[in-house]
Amino acid sequence: MSRRLQTWSELKPLLRMRPLELDPVARRLSRAYTVRDLRRIGRARTPRSIFDYVDGAAEAEVSIRKARRVLRDVEFQPSVLRDVGSVDLGTTLLGRRADAPFVYAPTGFTRLMQHEGEPAVARSAARTGIPYTLSTMGTTSIEALSEAAPEGRNWFGLYVWKDRAAAEELMDRARAARYEALVITVDVPVGGARLRDNRNGFSIPPTLTARTILDGALHPNWWLNFLTTEPLRFATLDSWQGTIEELASHMFDPTVELEDLAWVRAHWDGPLVVKGVQTVADAERVVGAGADAVVLSNHGGRQLDRAPVPLTLVPETVAAVGDRAEVYVDTGFSSGADIVAALALGAKAVMLGRAYLYGLMAGGERGVDRVGQILTTEIARTLRLLGVQSVDQLTPDHVRLPR
C-alpha cells in the first residue's frame, strides 16, 4: 500500500475538539460515566475521615465485600429478537408510581459529606421521580426538608430511641409535615464497630487534630463550604460529643422487640416500611405485625459483619411474603445492572445510600442528579439488552445467582 500524508480537508471530519467547559462542577461531572467514577471524584474532594465514614463498613468489612462480589458475579440470561424500541422503568411503590425502581435510603450526617446536604438529595430525588428517606440522624430538620422539596415523595427514617416520647414526637412531626411513609430501622440495637472511623478519629462534631488540619489543607473547598454555611445541626437531637458508635449505643434502644411495632402502628397510620430484615423468618414476623414493606438489608455492611448477603434472600422472601408486602433490598448496589438483577429476582425496588452520597460529594445537588441519570440510563440499557420492555416483565429466568 502506498503511503501519503492526509490533507487537512481529509482529516477535519475525523477530528472534533471537546467543547471548553468553564463550569468546574459540570466539567467534573462530565467525566463521570458510572457511580464508581463519582466515588473517585468524591474521594478526591472530601476529607479522608468523612469519605471513609461513607465508604467504610463494620469490623473487617467482610459483609460489604461479599455483597459486592455476589452482585459482580450475577449472570444475566437475555432473550433476543424482542421489540425493545421503548422501555418503561416505572413501578408502583406503596400504591404510587415511581419513575424508576430505586429509593434513596436514609443516611446520617449528610451535610458533613457536602454542605448542600439532605435538601439537595430530596430535590434531586423528586426530579428523578423516586422517594427520598430523611434519617433520624440527618442534618436537616423534618420541616425544613419538607419545605425544600414540597413536591417530593418524602419518607422518614426512624430509629427507635430509648426515649419513646421523643420518637413519638418525631412521628407526629413527620405526619404534620406530610411525609408519605415511615421507614423504621431495626438492625441497630447497638452501634456497629466502624473501625475506619475509630482509626480516623471521626466524631460528631469533627475533632480538629494535626492530621485533620493537614487533610483540610488538601481539601480547601470542603472546609470553606463547611465554615461559611449554616452551622451543622441535627434533625432530631440537640448535640453530641463522641464517636458514631457511641452515639448509636447511647440513643438507640436494645430492648426493642416485635411487639413494639404495635406501638409504632399506634402512632403512625401511613405506610410502614421495616428496614434491616436479614432472614425470611423475620420478614414473615414483621409483615405479620403490620409492615407494608420490608427492606432486606444488613445496613450496607455497617452493623454485623459476616451478615447474610441481602440479594440472596430476595427469592425466598418474595415467595414467603410477596403477596402481602413489598420487598426491597439494599447493600452493595452501585449500578443499574445491579438493580435490574434484584428486580428480576423479585424485589420491588432497591434502596441506595452510598451511591447518591458519592454523587453529592462529587458535585452537590448536580452530582446527585448525575447519579439518577447514570442509573436510569444503565437500567434502560440493561432492560433492552435482556429483551424486556419494562421492569414488570423481569422474571427469575433473566438472572442466575452465583453458586
Side-chain angles (χ1 to χ4, degrees):
M1 176 184 293
S2 61
R3 294 180 180 272
R4 69 174 178 85
L5 287 175
Q6 295 185 34
T7 66
W8 172 244
S9 61
E10 292 170 322
L11 285 173
K12 185 177 179 181
L14 305 177
L15 302 175
R16 185 175 59 183
M17 296 293 292
R18 181 189 288 261
L20 179 62
E21 178 56 73
L22 299 179
D23 183 337
V25 177
R27 188 165 59 246
R28 287 198 303 273
L29 297 179
S30 70
R31 299 193 296 267
Y33 301 100
T34 66
V35 169
R36 190 163 186 83
D37 289 339
L38 290 169
R39 176 186 179 276
R40 173 180 47 79
I41 297 168
R43 183 177 189 176
R45 296 189 57 78
T46 310
R48 176 178 174 175
S49 62
I50 305 297
F51 178 83
D52 276 356
Y53 170 71
V54 173
D55 198 61
E59 300 185 40
E61 304 191 4
V62 172
S63 290
I64 187 62
R65 287 200 302 272
K66 284 176 58 180
R68 288 170 175 157
R69 185 165 61 247
V70 168
L71 283 163
R72 180 200 67 192
D73 293 342
V74 161
E75 181 180 284
F76 285 122
Q77 301 182 93
S79 180
V80 298
L81 298 176
R82 306 285 183 176
D83 179 1
V84 289
S86 63
V87 292
D88 181 8
L89 276 59
T91 189
T92 301
L93 301 178
L94 301 179
R96 292 180 55 187
R97 178 179 167 85
D99 291 337
F102 53 91
V103 176
Y104 287 159
T107 60
F109 318 117
T110 309
R111 280 193 58 219
L112 273 179
M113 292 86 194
Q114 203 268 358
H115 66 283
E116 296 174 44
E118 291 91 352
V121 183
R123 288 190 293 262
S124 180
R127 285 191 291 273
T128 304
I130 62 170
Y132 166 67
T133 315
L134 174 68
S135 172
T136 300
M137 309 308 294
T139 42
T140 300
S141 74
I142 291 170
E143 295 78 12
L145 191 283
S146 181
E147 291 171 5
E151 304 303 318
R153 293 188 64 181
N154 299 323
W155 297 1
F156 182 62
L158 177 72
Y159 287 104
V160 177
W161 290 7
K162 294 176 181 177
D163 183 350
R164 296 301 175 85
E168 291 172 9
E169 179 188 354
L170 294 178
M171 287 187 274
D172 291 341
R173 288 170 58 191
R175 184 185 304 105
R178 310 185 104 179
Y179 279 62
E180 176 187 338
L182 185 72
V183 180
I184 180 170
T185 298
V186 295
D187 61 349
V188 188
V190 295
R194 316 277 176 82
L195 298 184
R196 284 205 219 183
D197 295 345
N198 296 343
R199 289 166 181 146
N200 287 331
F202 181 70
S203 63
I204 301 295
T207 301
L208 291 178
T209 64
R211 178 175 173 178
T212 56
I213 291 171
L214 176 61
D215 198 25
L218 300 175
H219 302 93
N221 288 329
W222 184 93
W223 278 103
L224 180 64
N225 288 326
F226 181 77
L227 295 173
T228 59
T229 54
E230 286 293 314
L232 193 68
R233 295 187 177 92
F234 301 102
T236 53
L237 68 151
D238 295 329
S239 63
W240 177 254
Q241 303 284 334
T243 68
I244 305 301
E245 180 183 345
E246 291 167 346
L247 175 61
S249 297
H250 172 77
M251 291 185 62
F252 304 149
D253 189 350
T255 70
V256 172
E257 296 184 295
L258 183 68
E259 291 72 18
D260 289 290
L261 286 183
W263 162 73
V264 173
R265 266 297 182 207
H267 290 86
W268 182 264
D269 56 5
L272 176 63
V273 181
V274 177
K275 177 178 178 290
V277 175
Q278 298 174 70
T279 68
V280 177
D282 276 350
E284 292 179 303
R285 292 171 68 223
V286 300
V287 171
D292 298 293
V294 296
V295 185
L296 298 172
S297 169
N298 65 28
H299 216 101
R302 297 164 70 82
Q303 282 297 106
L304 175 66
D305 208 9
R306 297 180 177 82
V309 174
L311 181 68
T312 64
L313 301 174
V314 169
E316 287 184 77
T317 306
V318 171
V321 304
D323 59 340
R324 294 175 286 153
E326 296 178 352
V327 177
Y328 310 152
V329 63
D330 73 13
T331 302
F333 291 83
S334 63
S335 73
D338 291 345
I339 293 169
V340 169
L343 301 178
L345 291 170
K348 192 69 173 173
V350 168
M351 271 195 160
L352 300 167
R354 288 184 178 92
Y356 76 73
L357 292 177
Y358 294 145
L360 185 69
M361 290 187 288
E365 187 167 333
R366 285 185 284 173
V368 184
D369 284 344
R370 185 65 182 137
V371 173
Q373 294 161 4
I374 288 170
L375 293 175
T376 53
T377 297
E378 291 174 339
I379 293 170
R381 181 173 60 243
T382 305
L383 292 179
R384 284 190 165 99
L385 292 172
L386 283 174
V388 299
Q389 296 177 328
S390 70
V391 296
D392 293 336
Q393 292 180 357
L394 290 165
T395 73
D397 290 336
H398 289 112
V399 68
R400 183 184 303 161
L401 284 172
R403 294 179 180 176

